[in-house]
Amino acid sequence: MNRFETHKAVSRRRLLGTAFGLSMAAIMPNLAFAAGNGAKAALAFDGDAILLGGDVLRISSDGGKTWAEHAAPGQVLALTTHRGQAGLVLAGLAKGGVAISEDGGATWRSAAQGLPGGPVNALAIASRDPELFYAAIQGDGLYKSEDSGANWALAMDRPWLNEAERDPLTLVSVDLETGMGGIWIYAGTELGLTRVPDCFCRWQDVQPGNAMDALVAGDAPPPENPLPAAEPVLSLASSPTVPERLYAALASGIWTSADGGVVWQRMAETPASAVAVHPEDERYIAALMGGNLKLSRDGGTTWTATSVV
């Protein structure tokens, strides 16, 4: 058996997840761009290197001028890295499970103990702890590992939005003092943006104030300038150097927030499916837009296309 093959046990929400996946494929066929020979693309920075994952893993160490191609551990749906540990790369796989590389994507090992079967739609590494991982399993829930992926356990059900559970399409750990323990886990869903503090008490809308205020207030009015209503949030990125600076990729373009997601403004109108920010420079952004991988060195004011599509 392939060492990346996950078990076939039916998860507690597998049937619901399967139905949801089929409906999403029917109503949103063009939300994800292609990489390689048709796989959904995932995007991340590993230090200065740019990683583009799909059926294969492409890596550029010179700002997108040239690319090296590596074998992927399977079809990659999600990639995440950590500022504090260069070379650490997590890949969420379409066939289920998480693969981990500690050498920038050259070699991989399986890290699926405790994870249910099902595609791993989204991944995040805790902003303050490179050994704490989060994984969103399609049709199931949010799982976490406190030992660098050796073991996983359910942390939270999927967000409940508009009378149904919704799969996270993207995750990011954001180091803000308004969160409990300084951490928020933000999730993009088919119906927009939500987040949960690291107590995993309750998914909630993004709003001003700290996590406890939000929990006490219950349902709060939306912020004055949120992301477009009911539009899928396909990718999120947080700047480690300026954690309140967030980026989001939507079909309506690239959006940015300077206050942890309370107020948003659009910085590019080309349809986008992925966004990543350099770990040491909040103005250096990579994004999949209009079928191309584009880079900005000035915070999104201008963009340059790379040699890979």
Side-chain angles (χ1 to χ4, degrees), residues 43 50 52 64 67 286-289 291-295 304-309:
L43 183 65
I50 305 169
L52 182 63
W67 295 82
L288 285 165
M289 295 192 294
N292 295 292
L293 177 62
K294 298 184 178 181
L295 304 179
T304 302
T306 71
S307 61
V308 66
V309 295

Side-chain angles (χ1 to χ4, degrees), residues 165-307:
E165 284 192 358
R166 309 291 174 172
D167 277 320
L169 306 176
T170 178
L171 294 170
V172 66
S173 173
V174 183
D175 187 359
L176 295 176
E177 292 304 325
T178 57
M180 294 179 178
I183 302 297
W184 287 98
I185 306 300
Y186 283 65
T189 76
E190 61 173 312
L191 293 181
L193 184 67
T194 185
R195 67 181 181 178
V196 63
D198 71 347
C199 66
F200 297 104
C201 314
R202 176 174 59 84
W203 292 101
Q204 57 188 249
D205 292 337
V206 178
Q207 56 189 272
N210 62 42
M212 186 56 69
D213 289 343
L215 290 171
V216 171
D219 292 335
E224 292 184 9
N225 296 293
L227 289 169
E231 185 174 338
V233 177
L234 303 176
S235 180
L236 291 168
S238 171
S239 169
T241 52
V242 185
E244 63 272 15
R245 173 69 66 181
L246 302 178
Y247 299 94
L250 288 76
S252 58
I254 298 291
W255 294 74
T256 186
S257 171
D259 59 2
V262 177
V263 175
W264 291 86
Q265 63 180 11
R266 185 160 54 178
M267 58 193 296
E269 296 185 1
T270 305
S273 65
V275 63
V277 59
H278 190 278
E280 300 293 343
D281 182 359
E282 71 277 3
R283 295 176 61 80
Y284 184 11
I285 311 161
L288 285 165
M289 295 192 294
N292 295 292
L293 177 62
K294 298 184 178 181
L295 304 179
S296 175
R297 300 282 187 146
D298 54 14
T301 301
T302 59
W303 295 87
T304 302
T306 71
S307 61

Side-chain angles (χ1 to χ4, degrees), residues 76-154:
V76 176
L77 299 183
L79 287 171
T80 192
T81 59
H82 195 276
R83 174 189 183 188
Q85 191 169 330
L88 175 63
V89 183
L90 272 62
L93 305 181
K95 63 185 178 183
V98 173
I100 298 177
S101 175
E102 296 177 351
D103 53 15
T107 61
W108 297 88
R109 60 181 173 86
S110 177
Q113 180 65 39
L115 285 177
V120 179
N121 284 344
L123 290 167
I125 302 176
S127 58
R128 295 188 181 186
D129 184 357
E131 296 183 355
L132 178 56
F133 302 162
Y134 305 97
I137 312 301
Q138 181 178 306
D140 197 288
L142 179 66
Y143 284 73
K144 73 174 181 177
S145 171
E146 298 178 333
D147 53 11
S148 300
N151 298 280
W152 295 84
L154 181 69

